[in-house]
Amino acid sequence: DQQVKQNSPSLSVQEGRISILNCDYTNSMFDYFLWYKKYPAEGPTFLISISSIKDKNEDGRFTVFLNKSAKHLSLHIVPSQPGDSAVYFCAASGRGGSQGNLIFGKGTKLSVKP
Amino acid sequence: DTGVSQDPRHKITKRGQNVTFRCDPISEHNRLYWYRQTLGQGPEFLTYFQNEAQLEKSRLLSDRFSAERPKGSFSTLEIQRTEQGDSAMYLCASSLAGLFYNEQFFGPGTRLTVL
């Protein structure tokens, strides 16, 4: 069973507009969430994270929102740029990450069109 | 470059052969992780080390897989008697334990193709 779900395999957005990537999780023990970006033939690159004590974390053009009651998080990218085109993975961990392993979703492929 | 490095980047082998991959973590990081990623999936956890100690192993890590981190620095992942189902991208990541929030930084991966 998938504990972290990214239900949209792909998303296409116009340059300059907002990209919203969604992620749902089932395990209420998760308390730390991360987003990674992956280009072809490269490893995932850490983007932004949020702990369960917060509902929002912002870093430049990237904002992550966490809704614990809905077990849902989202990544907002605004404004979107063509260089943001990549696969985005949502990941979760328990005990603040001290549990060791990250549980990843299957990813959402974002295409930003000029 | 002070990121996570992995060697080789690509490996093609015949079924039944043994292969070994190496990972060099970020130098001050004491935790090292191995993941496997197949097409259309996210990375799946295999095992992790804190310093030399292997603290957790996934059920995905069959007895044909062995990982070591002998001096608490680089790590090796060996697959014995490879099978076609072992074809995947093998990713290594590292992090600094002791901090409550544990961001893991990934290397570029080793792509294994078993013929």
Side-chain angles (χ1 to χ4, degrees), chain A residues 79-97:
Chain A
S80 301
Q81 300 173 353
D84 296 329
S85 297
V87 178
Y88 288 77
F89 291 98
C90 171
S93 181
R95 285 187 275 149

Side-chain angles (χ1 to χ4, degrees), chain A residues 72-87:
Chain A
H72 176 84
L73 61 155
S74 60
L75 174 68
H76 292 210
I77 305 173
V78 56
S80 301
Q81 300 173 353
D84 296 329
S85 297
V87 178

Side-chain angles (χ1 to χ4, degrees), chain A residues 95-112:
Chain A
R95 285 187 275 149
S98 65
Q99 200 164 329
N101 56 310
L102 295 177
I103 310 295
F104 283 84
K106 291 187 176 184
T108 297
K109 184 176 182 179
L110 174 65
S111 300
V112 180

Side-chain angles (χ1 to χ4, degrees), chain B residues 4-114:
Chain B
V4 178
S5 62
Q6 292 186 246
D7 185 69
R9 294 291 305 274
H10 304 273
K11 179 70 177 179
I12 299 174
T13 191
K14 292 182 179 178
R15 189 177 54 182
Q17 298 294 305
N18 299 345
V19 294
T20 300
F21 309 141
R22 176 179 170 127
C23 171
D24 287 88
I26 294 171
S27 58
E28 62 268 26
H29 286 181
N30 53 1
R31 281 194 173 177
L32 186 149
Y33 311 79
W34 286 98
Y35 291 82
R36 181 174 70 184
Q37 185 176 18
T38 54
L39 197 62
Q41 303 294 318
E44 295 174 293
F45 171 76
L46 294 177
T47 188
Y48 92 95
F49 294 83
Q50 181 156 322
N51 301 314
E52 307 87 6
Q54 189 172 17
L55 296 187
E56 189 175 347
K57 290 195 287 188
S58 161
R59 59 181 171 77
L60 291 176
L61 209 68
S62 77
D63 56 6
R64 296 185 297 106
F65 288 69
S66 62
E68 293 182 345
R69 195 183 182 197
K71 297 182 179 179
S73 56
F74 73 92
S75 174
T76 58
L77 177 68
E78 182 183 17
I79 309 174
Q80 295 183 328
R81 305 181 303 281
T82 52
E83 302 173 355
Q84 288 183 325
D86 297 331
S87 295
M89 175 75 84
Y90 289 84
L91 294 163
C92 176
S94 69
S95 72
L96 190 61
L99 300 177
F100 186 68
Y101 298 117
N102 181 27
E103 296 157 3
Q104 296 181 18
F105 296 88
F106 283 81
T110 294
R111 179 163 294 285
L112 173 66
T113 302
V114 181

